[in-house]
Amino acid sequence: MKKWLAFAVAAALSACSSSEDKTYYQLPVVAQPVAQSQTLSNHQLWVDQVTVPDFLAGNGVAYQTTDVQYVIATQNLWASPLDQQLRNTLVANLSAQLPGWVISSQPLGSEQDVLSVNVTGFHGRYDGRVIVSGEWLLYHRGQISKRPFWVELKQEQDGYDAMVSTLSRAWQQATQGVSGQISRLP
């Protein structure tokens, strides 16, 4: 009986040690913020929130396997919550794309514009493409603007590293669309 127990423990330990290592991903900040002058800006934007659906809110990177099926990775994980990463990179990208604006993830005061983003897609797809989609809502001087966005890019290489890099580029393109609309504000 003791030999059997020792064998079972050894088998269990070897199974634990042979499991795949987890890989963690963080979205790179592609845009370099432009140095702001020390004078106060009339243009202030608070990025209030970036929301993601439940299937994207977990730790695993999402991958669409068919038109209706998604797989959430168990070994390829986000290093920090995806909504936080998207918000942080959105603030950095908008800061670089909108010189003269003060962009913040914290409230700035009563005269600020407020941006909220609802991300509905941020995943790789079975056909070698990545999808970044959703809508943004901007509150500016008592007016509300709402616009959808959809960015689809071809992934140049296989694997999660390439997918996350392509997702980052797609997110940057989505923020360029937002900044283009914001830059036209009076």
Side-chain angles (χ1 to χ4, degrees), residues 39-177:
T39 60
L40 294 175
S41 172
N42 289 334
H43 303 293
Q44 300 175 350
L45 179 66
W46 170 31
V47 179
D48 179 26
Q49 64 181 350
V50 174
T51 59
V52 296
D54 287 345
F55 83 100
L56 294 173
N59 291 339
V61 176
Y63 182 77
Q64 185 179 0
T65 57
T66 69
D67 287 343
V68 296
Q69 189 176 41
Y70 293 80
V71 172
I72 307 302
T74 57
Q75 301 297 321
N76 295 286
L77 309 171
W78 294 113
S80 60
L82 182 58
D83 59 342
Q84 288 177 7
Q85 291 190 51
L86 291 171
R87 186 177 186 199
N88 292 341
T89 55
L90 177 62
V91 168
N93 289 340
L94 289 177
S95 294
Q97 295 163 4
L98 294 168
W101 281 71
V102 175
I103 313 293
S104 177
S105 59
Q106 300 296 317
L108 297 166
S110 61
E111 299 298 317
Q112 69 195 358
D113 294 329
V114 180
L115 177 67
S116 296
V117 181
N118 180 32
V119 175
T120 56
F122 196 83
H123 57 275
R125 200 168 64 184
Y126 57 91
D127 61 357
R129 302 185 79 70
V130 301
I131 304 297
V132 172
S133 62
E135 63 185 16
W136 55 268
L137 188 72
L138 178 69
Y139 179 79
H140 172 71
R141 295 184 183 168
Q143 301 290 320
I144 296 177
S145 300
K146 180 180 174 182
R147 301 271 193 290
F149 60 89
W150 175 279
V151 179
E152 184 176 325
L153 294 179
K154 182 170 179 19
Q155 192 173 317
E156 298 301 322
Q157 298 175 334
D158 291 337
Y160 281 93
D161 289 1
M163 184 173 75
V164 170
S165 293
T166 308
L167 283 166
S168 177
R169 285 196 321 275
W171 181 238
Q172 185 180 26
Q173 283 186 21
T175 63
Q176 287 171 343

Side-chain angles (χ1 to χ4, degrees), residues 8-42:
V9 170
L13 288 175
S14 68
C16 291
S17 66
S18 67
S19 65
E20 286 187 43
D21 290 333
K22 293 181 179 178
T23 304
Y24 294 89
Y25 294 95
Q26 187 77 24
L27 293 175
V29 177
V30 178
Q32 295 300 317
V34 175
Q36 299 282 335
S37 67
Q38 295 300 320
T39 60
L40 294 175
S41 172
N42 289 334

